[in-house]
Amino acid sequence: MAPHDLAERALKSLGQQRFVNLLRHAYVMVGNSSAGILEAASARLAVINIGDRQKGRITSHNVLSVDGEKGSLENALRTLESAEFVARLRDVKNAYGDGQT
C-alpha cells in the first residue's frame, strides 16, 4: 500500500510497522492520543496534545499541551516552527524510557 493510499480510507488499525513508519515521517501529531505522550518522543515527533484527557501524565519535551481554543492551537503551531522548539526535538528523550527494557 502506497503512503498516499492511507489518506484515502479509514483503517481499523494501521498495525505496528505502518504506525511507526508514519511517526517517523510525520511533521506533527495533533489530538489527545496516548501515542502522542508515550511513543512520539521516541520518533522525535512534535505533539500538540489537545484537552485534558492526558492530564497528569508525564510528558516529554516534544509535547505542547493546549486547551483546544483556536488561539492556543495557533500559538502551538507557531511554536513548532521556533528554533528553540526544533532544537528541543533534536535532543528529546522519551520520559517513558528508551524501549530497551
Side-chain angles (χ1 to χ4, degrees), residues 37-99:
I37 306 300
L38 301 174
E39 286 97 9
S42 295
R44 293 188 170 92
L45 177 62
V47 173
I48 298 176
N49 180 56
I50 301 174
D52 58 5
R53 181 169 176 252
Q54 304 301 330
K55 188 175 184 174
R57 283 193 151 170
I58 297 169
T59 60
S60 301
H61 297 296
N62 61 314
V63 178
L64 301 171
S65 291
V66 300
D67 59 16
E69 295 297 320
K70 181 180 176 183
S72 63
L73 185 54
E74 289 172 341
N75 287 338
L77 290 168
R78 279 191 292 276
T79 299
L80 293 178
E81 298 177 351
S82 72
E84 179 183 332
F85 189 80
V86 171
R88 201 162 84 181
L89 279 179
R90 278 194 298 267
D91 296 330
V92 71
K93 303 283 188 249
N94 192 321
Y96 292 90
D98 63 5

